Each structure stands twice: as structure tokens, then as C-alpha cells.
Amino acid sequence: MIARILILLSGVLILASCQSDSNRRNTADAQIEKRIDELISRMTVEEKIGQTNQLTVYGTTEELCEKIRNGEIGSLLNVVDPADINTLQRAAVEQSRLGIPLLIARDVIHGFRTVFPIPLGQAATFDPALVEQGARIAAIEASAAGIRWTFSPMLDISRDPRWGRIAESAGEDPCLTSAMGAAMVRGYQGEGADDPTSIAACAKHFVGYGASESGRDYNSTNLTERQLRNVYLPPFEQAVRNGAMTLMTSFNDNDGIPSTGNRFLLEEVLRNEWGFDGMVVTDWNSAGEMVSHGFAADTKDAAMKAINAGVDMDMMSHVFSLHLKDLIDEGTVDERRLDEAVRNILRVKFRLGLFENPYIDTARIARVTYAPEHLEAARRTAEESAVLLRNEGNILPLDASALRSVLVAGPMADAPAEQLGTWTFDGEPDHTVTPLAAIRAAYGDRLHIGYNPVAAYSREKVTAAKLAAFTAQAASYDAILLFVGEEAILSGEAHCLADLNLQGSQSELIAAARRSGKPVVTVVMAGRPLTIARDLANTDALLYSFHPGTMGGPALIDLIFGNAVPSGKLPVTFPVATGQIPIYYARNMTGRPAAGNELLLDEIPVGAGQTSLGCTSYHLDAGFGPLFPFGFGLSYSTFEYADLQLDKEAYLPTETIRASCRLTNTGKRTATEVVQLYVRDRVGSTVRPVKELKAFDRITLEPGQSRTVEFELPAEDLAFWGLDMQKRVEPGTFDLWIAGDSQSGNSVTFTIN
Ligand code: GLC
């Protein structure tokens, strides 16, 4: 009896503490709203407009301080020195009329000083907990510099590797992108936004930017509302549900409407449907660029369209500071909309605790930057992000004891700045550990390590003579480690490619290594999938490393020599040829799906009669499938999936599908498998993808070990926006896979009634 009372009592206490937690949160929010009301009541229109103005630092500190003292600036970006930030902040807090602190922002996209793999690489880990840790570390280092707002996570679904910004994304899939985005939001914002180490997250670019036509940056997108709802919006909704404090509008015009002027997105979806109470900032000058789009007649019209669409802060176009006062005086913009924008901005500043703690302890940055645990987390992320795509004859891992010499070659073997990848303004190349440095440190005492970059950088074209000399040199070594790929500048914003073959003479370099007759291991460091089909035959093994960051060298060398086992899986489909793009696994079936036996270009008889009968959806010169599918990645072990089963055959839309399989490590090494659960809705009110990732998990098993892997999938996760544009679970028959990638595995069937 006593036990029952104690259990009951503890339950009451837990309930009470949960309620007090949410009460505390509600009380804190209520107090913040009261403080906002009080502050706004004292603000002039000019001071309100000043809060909506975000500038990059420029000119002299005194010039900036003057504008700050006059209440003309609400936020600054691109200042990273704590002492400078304190000076600017003092002008706001102690020398302006109302003492409203500045919000200091920076693109901390994949680390601040300790640089992690680019987000596309982090997605390849399929390890949200690790990615969250990386974001936490980025926040600790960035906040120590005085930064309290980052323009990350970038949540653009990216299905076009020609687009340079795929590097900043989590790839092609909404489920994986949602998981990674939510993890980053949690990592950046930490336990409480008012913790001095937390930085406000910014889910960007809202929305559809990754579908820029032809993969050319800033280009138009033409996504239907249904595509937005089912594919492009979900990661943003998850970020909002996980507390993202800000969002950024995207550069693209979708269906002719620039996102920065899209009231449907910014009011209807973001505020009314999702209940977002944070702040919306434009992208750099994207408000002003509505004039160039032809959506605004002039900058005054652009200001009106942006503020009335629901934008709160204008990054660097000045249209708010130039025109809002007149627009309000003329009655074209209601001052209440301005008040709402200022309220959203002040709410972020209050929640971050900036009014209580506006200044930085300038001694903190030295204590936290490059902390050993930060570097180890970066190394582990680089290790988990590498994807083993080829390993002929199980040449990897190399056995150092069986080798006398290794030739390290290629333009990416010792390229500390390139290895960091795009968006690393604050990374310091002299802290990068390259593969060459790492192999020398780890094996220099027992291996003769040769080094020949052959090309000074990825685009360099080298002579046939130089390649021949390299082949001769390589023939005198026991193994060749080639590091190729892309210079960091070849991906990222505004850096798009129409041809995805390896740049320069890198393919020729791999072929030259093959001619040496020695084992060839190729590592590709890039910001995107590249069309490497023609290179595969010339390398025994290929490890793909999406610009791995500061600690990429040790991670890759550990993988190559077997101190670690590859576990990365592709977050994006690899095309055979650029012409296949867009190519992604969650495609529609079409009325004439490829059968897999289609005649390819060279198989079509000369003089063949013209026919369109029996034709299917494929390219004569590239076939139908990808080079490597989404979710693919090899290991140094092998895994067997068996005994796939469901707890029932039929479910109600309110029930949960319990799926399981038996996973066995059938290899010789302890290894980690990313187990993926896919579902197909066979018939819908609109056609449904042939497969959609719905869950995944990392499972580590010793050789011979088996484990039952279980997933609980709420049937409501199968809901989609159908013909009537309502989100619902439609009854019908579904297929379910649990497999190691998006193309393999058997399925089971269930129904929803
Ligand atoms: C850039 C990018 C955006 C970035 C912003 C601030 O143009 O589009 O992602 O956060 O400007 O640097």
C-alpha cells in the first residue's frame, strides 16, 4: 500500500514539476510580453524602424556608433571581435535613448573556429545527436566572440548538385533534413535561449530555393503548393516546432512571387498555421531585389511589399530605413504592422537575455576555441560523414604492417583552406589537419610516405608528361592514396556548375595512378555529388568526404588504415551524368517506368526503325538509375537484413505501425549500419513517390552479432497534402522496407483503413 502511495505521490510531484516548468515558461513569456509592450509604448516611429534595420559592419566604428546611438540599427552582422562588439553594444545600451541592445549575427554554418564537415557531410552521418553536439560547440565558440544569432540551419531540400548551395543543405530528403535541422536548432539554442552560450537559430532559406531552375543560383523556382507542402516546407515546420527563433526569406521567386514578398508563406503558413512567434529576416538585400525581380516598382514599393508580407527585419537593403516612415505617414503601411515586427525582434532579444547580459567576457573566447573536445567532435563527425562508395577486393582498410611505402598525391591531400569547405569565414586553415599531415603523424615512423600533389589546385590542368612522371613515381610505392575533389570556392553561394565531372586533370590523375599497377585509394573532398562514373574503373577504392573540416585529415587516415570503419550514407543521389538531374530517389513512378532492360545508345542498331512503342522513361546515354542511390554507403563489414515484419496487417489512421527486422553483422569487423525505413503509398488522390524515408537509426554490431531493430511509425506520419489540398492519411495499401539504402531490401505490405 505504501509503495502505491509513494508511486502516486511521485507521479503527482512529477506532474507538478512539469506544470511548474510550463508555468515558469508561460510566466517568463508573459513577463517578456509586458516588457515589450512597455518598451514599444515609449518608442518613436523612427526608433521602431531602426530596430528593423540590419547592417553589415562598414566604415569606422565611430560612424557605426553614431547610427547606433541614434537608434538607427537593430542588428549587425559580420563583426566577430568581442572587444569591438562590446564597443558597439555599449553605444546601444548606454548611449542610445532607450538602451535596446544590438543583435549580433554571423553565418556560423558548420562551426565557428573549429570547423565541422559541411552540412551535406553532416547529413551523411545520419546521426542527429552528433550534429546537435556540433551545433552546440559552434554556439559555444561563436557566442564567446559575441555572436548571438547564426544564419543556420539551411533547410533547403536540394535535388540538384549543379546548385552550389547543396553543400550547405542536408540533401534531398525531407525526413533527413527535418531531423538534421531540428538537431541544429537544439544545438545552437541549447537548454535556454538566455544562456550566454546559446545563439538564435535561423531556419533558411524560406522556401523552395533549392529547386532553382537549372541549378543556377538565385534562379526562379516553380513549385506547386502541393510540392511545397509535401516536400519543401516540412523541415521548416520541424525547425519551428523545435523552437527556431528566426527564419530567413529566400532569394527565389516561386511561381512568380519572391519569397520576401510572399504573404501566403510568411503570414498564412508561418504565423497562422504554425504559430511561429519568432522573427523573420530577409536575405541579403532580398527586399530591395524585388525591384530587379519586377515584383516592386521601386524600393519604396519593395519596402511596402516586404513589411506587409510579414518580414520583420531588412538585411542590408535599407528599404525599411529609407521608406517605412513615409509609408506609415501615407497610410500605405499600418503602424501596427511595424509594431508587430518590432515586437518579434524585441522578443528574440529579450529571450536571448541581451537586456540583462549585453556584453561579452572577452577572456572567454581563448578558453573555449579549439578545445580538445571540440576538435574530437569535429574529427568524429568527419569520420562518420565519409561515405565508402567502392572497395574492390576489400583493398580497404590498408594494413600498415604489410606496407613499406605509400604515395600521397592529389591537389586535396594538403589543402588546409579547401578542406574546410564553403562558408567558413572564421575557420583558420592553419588549424586544419590535412590528410598528409595526419598520415605523417600517424605512420611517418613506420612507412616511407611520399607526397606529390601533381596539380597545385583542383582546376589545374597538368601536362601528359607530368602525369607520366607521376605514374612512374607511383610504380615505386606499395599503395597510392589520391586526394582529389573541389576547391572550397567551387561550391556554396553563387558557385554553380553546369558540368559535374572532376575539374582540371583529376580524372587523368586517377587514370595515371591506375597505370602504375599499384593499389589505388581515392578520396574525393567536394561540396556536392560529382559525376565520377568514369573514374571508378581507375580506382580500387573510393571514399567520398564532403569537405570534412578542421579534423578531416585524421578522420580520413583513421578510416583508410582501419582504425575506424566507414558508416556514412549518401544524403543525396549521385547521378551517372549531369543530364539526369534532377534525379532523386523519392520520384514518382510515372506511367512508363523504366523496366531496367532498355537499350542504351550503343546497343541501338544503326538504321533502326523509328518507334515509340514500349518505350519507357530513361536516357539513351545514361540509362535510368543513379550511379549511387540515396542512403547508400559501404562498410568494412557486411550486414544482413532478415525477418522483416509488422505487428499487424491493417491499421487505423490513429494507430502506430510497429515494424522490425533482424539485422546481423555478417562480416569480420565491428561496424555501424544506418538502418533506414521507407514507405510507399501505392495509390493516392494524387500520385505518391515510389518511396519515402520515414525513419532511420544507427546500429552498431560486433561480427556475428544480431539484433532485432524496431521502429514505431505513427500512421499520421503517412499523411500528405492530396487532391483537395488537405493534409490527411488516406486509406489504402502501403509497402514498407527496412534496408541499408533507398534501392535495396524486401518489403512487406499493410493497409490503412
Ligand atoms: C547570403 C546568403 C545567406 C546568408 C546571408 C548573410 O547572401 O544567401 O544564406 O546567411 O547572405 O551572409
Side-chain angles (χ1 to χ4, degrees), residues 463-476:
T463 63
K466 197 166 189 181
L467 291 168
F470 168 68
T471 299
Q473 178 192 22
S476 64

Side-chain angles (χ1 to χ4, degrees), residues 32 37 75 123 145 274 313 339 357 370 384 553 586 604 632 635 668:
I32 285 177
D37 289 341
S75 172
W274 296 353
M313 184 177 279
D339 287 351
N357 296 300
Y370 300 122
E384 288 193 18
I604 297 174
F632 178 80
S635 170
K668 299 184 175 60

Side-chain angles (χ1 to χ4, degrees), residues 551-571:
M551 297 300 285
L556 289 166
I557 295 305
D558 276 347
L559 289 166
I560 289 168
F561 285 93
N563 303 319
V565 178
S567 62
K569 297 279 189 174
L570 294 180

Side-chain angles (χ1 to χ4, degrees), residues 198-375:
S198 85
I199 59 178
C202 182
K204 73 181 186 183
H205 307 81
F206 194 62
V207 71
Y209 183 28
S212 296
E213 274 190 345
S214 80
R216 184 158 45 83
D217 206 358
Y218 315 120
N219 203 1
S220 302
T221 59
N222 291 289
L223 299 167
T224 63
E225 183 186 341
R226 188 174 290 114
Q227 285 173 306
L228 289 175
R229 295 283 193 181
N230 287 327
V231 177
Y232 291 85
L233 285 170
F236 288 91
E237 184 174 6
Q238 281 312 306
V240 168
R241 302 264 178 255
N242 278 269
M245 295 172 75
T246 72
L247 258 80
M248 181 187 292
T249 62
S250 57
F251 284 122
N252 57 303
D253 60 291
N254 187 62
D255 190 20
I257 306 168
S259 302
T260 305
N262 191 324
R263 186 177 170 79
F264 167 72
L265 289 176
L266 300 181
E267 284 296 315
E268 169 54 33
V269 174
L270 187 55
R271 303 285 181 185
N272 300 342
E273 290 182 26
W274 296 353
F276 178 62
D277 70 352
M279 181 249 284
V280 174
V281 65
T282 71
D283 202 337
W284 187 291
N285 193 33
S286 67
E289 286 168 9
M290 290 198 283
V291 178
S292 167
H293 275 287
F295 188 73
D298 52 34
T299 51
K300 184 174 180 181
D301 189 30
M304 184 271 289
K305 287 188 164 120
I307 192 84
N308 284 342
V311 165
D312 300 316
M313 184 177 279
D314 164 30
M315 182 194 293
M316 278 306 288
S317 90
H318 310 284
V319 296
F320 282 3
S321 49
L322 286 171
H323 301 296
L324 275 188
K325 178 73 170 61
D326 292 344
L327 288 164
I328 287 169
D329 291 347
E330 294 159 13
T332 316
V333 170
D334 188 320
E335 187 169 353
R336 286 173 298 180
R337 172 70 266 279
L338 175 58
D339 287 351
E340 199 181 76
V342 175
R343 178 178 296 281
N344 293 332
I345 294 164
L346 293 177
R347 187 175 300 117
V348 171
K349 294 185 175 184
F350 274 114
R351 284 181 174 169
L352 286 171
L354 286 175
F355 285 83
E356 287 71 30
N357 296 300
Y359 305 119
I360 313 103
D361 165 7
T362 53
R364 201 169 109 208
I365 193 164
R367 290 199 301 269
V368 301
T369 305
Y370 300 122
E373 62 272 22
H374 295 182
L375 294 172

Side-chain angles (χ1 to χ4, degrees), residues 77-78 107 109 151 165 168 204-205 209 218 248 251 283-284 315 423 425 493:
L77 65 152
N78 299 333
D107 290 282
I109 306 301
F151 300 126
R165 305 202 74 167
E168 303 167 59
K204 73 181 186 183
H205 307 81
Y209 183 28
Y218 315 120
M248 181 187 292
F251 284 122
D283 202 337
W284 187 291
M315 182 194 293
W423 284 107
F425 300 115
E493 180 174 354

